[in-house]
Amino acid sequence: MVHSSWKDYSLSGPSKGAAVITDDQIETRVVQSWFVAKVDRKALKGLMKRSDRPAMLNYGLWIGLIAVTGVATLATWGTGWGWVWLVIYSAIHQSATARQHELAHGTPFRTRWINELFFHFSSFITLSEGHYYRWRHSRHHTDTIIVGRDPEIQSPRPPEILSLLINLFNLKTVLVTLRDFVARARGDLGPGAHFVPDSEGPKVINAARMYLLAIILILLACVALASPLPLLLTIGPRVIGAPLYAVLHFTQHAGLNEDVYDHRLNSRTILMNPVLRFLYGNMNYHIEHHMFPMVPYHRLPELHEMIKDQCPTPKNGLLDAYREIVPILLRQVKDPSYHIQPVLPQDRLAAE
Amino acid sequence: MTQWIDICAADDVEMEDLIEVTHDGQSYAIYRSPEDAFYATAAHCTHEYVSLADGLVMDHIIECPMHNGRFDYRTGEAKGAPVCVNLKTYPVQRQGDRILLGLGD
């Protein structure tokens, strides 16, 4: 089998050895190694500027939609429409997965406490505890799709197609999450030991205990009310509303290269309609986000226009992206070394 | 004994922004606050050693451009995850249109 000798993706695997680096090496890798598109400094600083107003409008609309569809779910519960509204409610509710991500970067709101309030709210309703996530995601940005370093590689090679399909509803993720909460509540950080500093461990452990307590209280509410609604309306959407975000998130890096210090080669930008961009927090501009993570979500379309001549041609919608991804994944089952090599502008010019 | 080094012109640093300067092989970040006061810190984030030069200055906070590590550049205080270690600060004087960086203590 080709893949019996393929890479070990665990943080404690052999590849970790290559990642234990000194401060000087970190500087070399982080500052000098990643490709960064040329952007006028003043224009970039302008894009990075914070403002509460765009996020207030965006998050206000989101909360409003959650409230309206939640009330509609309650009002129609017991009929077939109740399930229809629950699915719509859950799909909107789980926009929190994209929002938690952006809030972890601290960029949507200028006012820090509002940012943190929405961050921890989004973290809970996606069952992705905030302190732990922030450290894990920082590592993902330092070492994007670097095997043995990045704890957020969604599709290790060879891809496990059945597992990916099952996880369309986050079934595997939720079980692993609950297992990890129990372990963390007992003081075992698991893979987090590789990216959570010792001084921050107690916060992660206490948060896991609070999450478990909150989950138990939700289940007790279900028993007390003899209704599944407390679960279905709080953390149930993590499963019911999962497929849309699974399909969106998977496009970020799937099928692209590993162990390269160029986000144009390991990340994917896709043009999408405004509804999906609202729910997904503009994370379809994923190359742009990785290259300049401090640019808020609502300025990413402008950043895209500024650097698109230095990036691969973006995919034109989800279907276009999956037309590229699916054949690559199927081929990777037999040949894990296979990956997409996006055409960079200089390659395009050379070809012309 | 503090040695004062002429490090840059005041106009090199825009209001509510920073620049990175080097002296004797060491890098420093020079900030200009919204009140037109100047401050200096080490040039690299204490989290993953990313240069702060492309970071965002908001009021008296410098945010690391890569991971959103936040410091009060007047005191060097780390303001929470993902930064846990304070930033080293240096004294600064303004003499006319020149900025002097205090080193050696």
Side-chain angles (χ1 to χ4, degrees):
Chain A
M1 293 284 285
V2 176
H3 52 77
S4 62
S5 59
W6 192 244
K7 301 170 186 175
D8 181 349
Y9 287 80
S10 65
L11 298 186
S12 54
S15 296
K16 188 197 166 212
V20 178
I21 48 182
T22 66
D23 281 354
D24 288 344
Q25 287 172 314
I26 288 172
E27 182 181 21
T28 303
R29 288 176 57 161
V30 173
V31 180
Q32 296 174 1
S33 295
W34 284 106
F35 171 84
V36 179
K38 291 183 179 65
V39 189
D40 176 70
R41 177 183 159 86
K42 208 163 183 173
L44 181 62
K45 294 270 179 175
L47 291 181
M48 289 165 71
K49 286 272 184 217
R50 302 283 161 70
S51 164
D52 285 337
R53 187 177 158 77
M56 282 291 187
L57 293 171
N58 186 295
Y59 280 67
L61 177 60
W62 178 52
I63 295 294
L65 288 170
I66 288 176
V68 168
T69 54
V71 168
T73 304
L74 284 171
T76 56
W77 194 245
T79 72
W81 283 106
W83 285 100
V84 173
W85 279 113
L86 180 64
V87 169
I88 297 170
Y89 167 84
S90 298
I92 294 167
H93 180 286
Q94 283 303 291
S95 175
T97 55
R99 291 166 193 275
Q100 183 216 22
H101 162 261
E102 187 68 8
L103 291 156
H105 285 282
T107 48
F109 293 94
R110 180 183 171 92
T111 306
R112 187 70 180 177
W113 71 264
I114 302 176
N115 199 87
E116 291 303 285
L117 183 71
F118 274 110
F119 173 60
H120 288 292
F121 170 70
S122 301
S123 297
F124 181 71
I125 66 175
T126 54
L127 289 179
S128 176
E129 193 280 304
H131 298 292
Y132 185 87
Y133 175 80
R134 195 165 249 155
W135 286 108
R136 192 188 71 193
H137 194 64
S138 288
R139 174 65 71 81
H140 172 61
H141 272 267
T142 304
D143 291 300
T144 311
I145 320 297
I146 303 297
V147 175
R149 284 287 289 172
D150 184 351
E152 295 189 355
I153 297 180
Q154 274 191 307
S155 178
R157 303 182 209 163
E160 295 177 10
I161 304 294
L162 183 63
S163 174
L164 289 171
L165 290 173
I166 289 172
N167 216 32
L168 271 174
F169 284 91
N170 271 341
L171 296 175
K172 189 175 161 190
T173 299
V174 167
L175 290 176
V176 169
T177 298
L178 292 174
R179 182 200 67 191
D180 288 350
F181 279 155
V182 171
R184 277 184 240 156
R186 294 167 58 197
D188 176 6
L189 295 184
H194 294 280
F195 48 80
V196 178
D198 291 344
S199 62
E200 296 288 297
K203 279 186 196 169
V204 171
I205 292 166
N206 286 334
R209 290 170 181 164
M210 289 175 67
Y211 268 51
L212 285 176
L213 178 63
I215 292 167
I216 290 168
L217 288 175
I218 290 168
L219 294 174
L220 287 176
C222 290
V223 173
L225 296 172
S227 165
L229 283 172
L231 180 68
L232 293 178
L233 293 176
T234 52
I235 52 178
R238 180 70 173 146
V239 173
I240 304 164
L244 175 61
Y245 300 95
V247 168
L248 289 167
H249 283 145
F250 194 67
T251 62
Q252 293 175 355
H253 306 285
L256 290 156
N257 207 352
E258 299 170 337
D259 297 334
V260 287
Y261 285 88
D262 188 337
H263 295 114
R264 301 173 303 170
L265 301 176
N266 66 18
S267 306
R268 179 182 286 107
T269 285
I270 308 172
L271 303 179
M272 285 184 188
N273 66 59
V275 175
L276 283 181
R277 288 200 288 115
F278 168 76
L279 293 170
Y280 191 30
N282 277 346
M283 275 305 107
N284 52 304
Y285 296 108
H286 215 64
I287 294 174
E288 293 81 354
H289 167 67
H290 266 282
M291 217 178 269
F292 300 104
M294 287 301 106
V295 173
Y297 72 95
H298 60 93
R299 307 299 299 269
L300 287 175
E302 293 164 76
L303 178 61
H304 171 72
E305 290 300 320
M306 286 167 61
I307 66 170
K308 67 182 181 184
D309 61 340
Q310 300 171 64
C311 295
T313 305
K315 293 290 143 192
N316 189 19
L318 271 178
L319 275 179
D320 191 27
Y322 275 97
R323 268 192 218 109
E324 176 178 76
I325 293 169
V326 171
I328 299 290
L329 290 187
L330 294 176
R331 184 158 170 184
Q332 282 180 344
V333 171
K334 289 183 178 171
D335 179 6
S337 67
Y338 192 69
H339 60 269
I340 301 158
Q341 188 69 27
V343 179
L344 297 175
Q346 63 265 31
D347 301 331
R348 278 202 301 268
L349 288 172
E352 287 165 10
Chain B
M1 176 95 179
T2 301
Q3 186 186 359
W4 292 97
I5 310 294
D6 184 334
I7 205 77
C8 65
D11 288 347
D12 289 344
V13 194
E14 295 205 16
M15 206 72 90
E16 208 172 10
D17 202 358
L18 80 158
I19 61 167
E20 183 174 321
V21 295
T22 53
H23 173 75
D24 217 7
Q26 291 292 313
S27 301
Y28 306 92
I30 309 292
Y31 305 82
R32 190 172 189 171
S33 76
E35 303 85 22
D36 201 19
F38 286 81
Y39 299 90
T41 72
H44 293 90
C45 179
T46 58
H47 168 224
E48 293 267 18
Y49 214 61
V50 174
S51 169
L52 296 169
D54 292 324
L56 179 66
V57 175
M58 282 194 304
D59 299 327
H60 301 114
I61 298 291
I62 171 66
E63 285 192 4
C64 169
M66 189 168 228
H67 303 102
N68 187 234
R70 301 163 72 248
F71 302 91
D72 185 328
Y73 57 80
R74 297 170 301 178
T75 62
E77 181 191 2
K79 303 295 281 185
V83 288
C84 305
V85 178
N86 293 345
L87 205 53
K88 186 169 171 48
T89 58
Y90 301 88
V92 169
Q93 282 183 8
R94 180 174 183 166
Q95 286 191 356
D97 66 347
R98 303 301 301 176
I99 301 302
L100 307 184
L101 176 67
L103 298 175
D105 264 354

